[in-house]
């Protein structure tokens, strides 16, 4: 595994692979790697000729400065982990490499900008869109891999690629979960043992809602029951629990088994904000 710190270092390497007509697979991350990230890495290794992983904690996508400051930094462990997997390159740019100055450009993702994560984290998807566009321009991958856990982010990046004609194939990899069902996330490192148990309410409510909907219960009834479950649970605060179309993020008022749908949830467990989602009809 070769460490690369700048586009100037990467460009001749990329050119060599281009001459060899090799497909470059790209996994962008913010570090604090877990099995969910490694699923993306494994998929890249299976699919592409050359695998590049990036680690960059992007300041422009945090609308909460405290959240940015507390984001886990495990770079030495991440490097050791990726070396075991035999990826070809690890791209580790610093902030000056990514942003000589804060970008003045703003990206508006339309309806995606105003619902769920867009509504509760204003400016977040602008930051995501800009950093992903920069990374795509720097790495110029053939294929890029993203996790289903960040479902709305996947929809945003699909919009970015489609509207700006990036020559990149996107592959979405299913959410990786702990044995008890909790979606793997770097934020889980910040949960206390008690909060770790409390966090199971997210997946438990998603599974409950899916079963109830598929057995014929109305969405309004299911949503009301879930809201009460969160209200009764100690240490958790529900932010949203919505039935959506997973590509457009149109919010459904009723469940229709003929329509593609997923449920998305965001909640605070203590002071840690967690998100998750579950496909209902694929």
């Amino acid at each position: 595994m070769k460490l690369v710190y700048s586009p100037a270092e990467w460009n001749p390497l990329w050119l060599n692979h281009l001459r060899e007509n090799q497909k470059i697979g790209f996994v962008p991350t913010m570090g604090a790697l877990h099995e969910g990230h490694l699923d993306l890495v494994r998929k890249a290794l299976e699919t592409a000729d050359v695998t590049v992983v990036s680690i960059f904690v992007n300041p422009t996508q945090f609308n909460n400065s405290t959240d940015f400051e507390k984001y886990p930094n495990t770079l030495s462990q991440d490097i050791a982990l990726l070396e075991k997997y035999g990826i070809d390159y690890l791209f580790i740019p610093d902030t000056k490499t990514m942003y000589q100055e804060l970008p003045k450009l703003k990206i508006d993702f339309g309806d995606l900008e105003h619902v769920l994560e867009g509504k509760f984290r204003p400016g977040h998807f602008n930051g995501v869109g800009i950093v992903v566009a920069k990374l795509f321009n720097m790495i110029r991958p053939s294929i890029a891999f993203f996790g289903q856990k960040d479902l709305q982010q996947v929809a945003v990046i699909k919009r970015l690629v489609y509207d700006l004609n990036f020559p990149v194939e996107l592959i979405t990899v299913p959410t990786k979960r702990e044995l008890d069902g909790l979606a793997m996330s770097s934020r889980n490192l910040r949960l206390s043992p008690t909060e770790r148990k409390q966090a199971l309410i997210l997946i438990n409510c998603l599974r409950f809602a899916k079963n109830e909907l598929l057995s014929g219960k109305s969405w309004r009834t299911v949503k009301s029951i879930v809201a009460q479950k969160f209200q009764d649970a100690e240490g958790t605060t529900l932010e949203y629990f919505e039935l959506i179309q997973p590509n457009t993020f149109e919010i459904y008022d009723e469940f229709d088994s003929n329509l593609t749908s997923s449920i998305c949830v965001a909640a605070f467990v203590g002071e840690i904000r967690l998100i998750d989602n579950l496909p209902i009809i694929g």
Side-chain angles (χ1 to χ4, degrees), residues 35-36 39-40 43 146-149 171-177:
E35 274 294 321
D39 256 10
L40 304 180
K43 187 69 175 176
F146 294 89
Q148 180 191 294
K149 187 185 81 69
I171 293 182
T172 306
V173 179
T175 302
K176 187 75 172 178
R177 299 186 179 277

Side-chain angles (χ1 to χ4, degrees), residues 163-187:
D163 284 358
L164 298 183
N165 295 100
F166 277 104
V168 182
E169 178 188 354
L170 298 180
I171 293 182
T172 306
V173 179
T175 302
K176 187 75 172 178
R177 299 186 179 277
E178 304 285 359
L179 291 177
D180 57 10
L182 184 67
M184 291 186 176
S185 169
S186 302
R187 291 170 184 258

Side-chain angles (χ1 to χ4, degrees), residues 258-270:
N258 295 309
L259 298 177
T260 301
S261 60
S262 294
I263 299 174
C264 292
V265 59
F268 282 90
V269 179

Side-chain angles (χ1 to χ4, degrees), residues 16 40 82 114 130 189 241 249 255 257:
N16 287 337
L40 304 180
L82 290 170
H114 306 294
I130 286 175
L189 295 174
F241 194 86
F249 269 71
F255 174 66
S257 61

Side-chain angles (χ1 to χ4, degrees), residues 56 58-60 95-101 103 127 130-131 134:
F56 177 67
N58 177 37
T60 67
T95 303
K96 279 191 175 182
T97 299
M98 296 302 296
Y99 300 106
Q100 292 184 357
E101 60 181 46
I130 286 175
V131 78
K134 281 174 168 281

Side-chain angles (χ1 to χ4, degrees), residues 211-229:
N211 291 335
E212 292 293 286
L213 289 176
L214 294 178
S215 69
K217 294 282 177 62
S218 76
W219 171 240
R220 186 171 300 179
T221 299
V222 171
K223 189 174 177 179
S224 176
I225 293 171
V226 167
Q228 190 62 52
K229 284 178 180 287

Side-chain angles (χ1 to χ4, degrees), residues 10-274:
W10 169 246
N11 288 340
L13 300 168
W14 171 79
L15 190 57
N16 287 337
H17 294 301
L18 182 67
R19 287 175 179 145
E20 295 293 325
N21 200 29
Q22 293 177 312
K23 284 188 175 181
I24 296 173
F26 180 46
V27 180
T29 82
M30 293 205 300
L33 302 182
H34 51 68
E35 274 294 321
H37 295 111
L38 296 178
D39 256 10
L40 304 180
V41 170
R42 284 187 283 265
K43 187 69 175 176
L45 288 166
E46 291 170 8
T47 310
D49 303 307
V50 178
T51 299
V52 182
V53 176
S54 69
I55 294 177
F56 177 67
V57 182
N58 177 37
T60 67
Q61 71 187 66
F62 288 84
N63 57 325
N64 182 328
S65 58
T66 303
D67 210 15
F68 172 64
E69 290 161 8
K70 291 186 176 179
Y71 194 87
N73 183 341
T74 60
L75 183 59
S76 58
Q77 297 97 303
D78 293 343
I79 290 172
L81 194 58
L82 290 170
E83 280 180 330
K84 291 179 183 177
Y85 273 78
I87 69 164
D88 298 286
Y89 303 100
L90 176 58
F91 182 53
I92 322 174
D94 60 17
T95 303
K96 279 191 175 182
T97 299
M98 296 302 296
Y99 300 106
Q100 292 184 357
E101 60 181 46
L102 286 177
K104 295 177 175 61
L105 176 71
K106 302 290 182 186
I107 304 177
D108 187 333
F109 288 95
D111 293 345
L112 286 168
E113 194 80 31
H114 306 294
V115 297
L116 306 193
E117 292 300 287
K119 177 181 178 181
F120 286 96
R121 300 180 68 188
H124 171 64
F125 287 130
N126 172 67
V128 169
I130 286 175
V131 78
V132 170
K134 281 174 168 281
L135 287 167
F136 281 174
N137 282 330
M138 290 175 179
I139 302 300
R140 288 157 288 181
S142 313
I143 315 166
F145 301 82
F146 294 89
Q148 180 191 294
K149 187 185 81 69
D150 295 300
L151 189 63
Q152 194 168 358
Q153 177 176 280
V154 170
V156 160
I157 293 165
K158 284 180 179 177
R159 180 79 56 86
L160 182 80
V161 166
Y162 179 79
D163 284 358
L164 298 183
N165 295 100
F166 277 104
V168 182
E169 178 188 354
L170 298 180
I171 293 182
T172 306
V173 179
T175 302
K176 187 75 172 178
R177 299 186 179 277
E178 304 285 359
L179 291 177
D180 57 10
L182 184 67
M184 291 186 176
S185 169
S186 302
R187 291 170 184 258
N188 294 349
L189 295 174
R190 295 171 56 194
L191 297 170
S192 71
T194 297
E195 290 168 341
R196 173 65 181 74
K197 293 176 183 176
Q198 293 169 335
L200 291 175
I201 190 172
L202 277 78
I203 184 57
N204 289 341
C205 282
L206 286 171
R207 288 171 173 169
F208 165 81
K210 178 174 182 174
N211 291 335
E212 292 293 286
L213 289 176
L214 294 178
S215 69
K217 294 282 177 62
S218 76
W219 171 240
R220 186 171 300 179
T221 299
V222 171
K223 189 174 177 179
S224 176
I225 293 171
V226 167
Q228 190 62 52
K229 284 178 180 287
F230 272 91
Q231 199 167 2
D232 294 342
E234 188 177 348
T236 64
T237 304
L238 181 64
E239 198 165 68
Y240 63 73
F241 194 86
E242 297 289 356
L243 182 69
I244 57 97
Q245 205 291 336
N247 292 314
T248 64
F249 269 71
E250 174 190 353
I251 294 177
Y252 291 145
D253 293 324
E254 297 292 342
F255 174 66
D256 185 337
S257 61
N258 295 309
L259 298 177
T260 301
S261 60
S262 294
I263 299 174
C264 292
V265 59
F268 282 90
V269 179
E271 296 182 354
I272 311 304
R273 186 178 185 273
L274 301 177

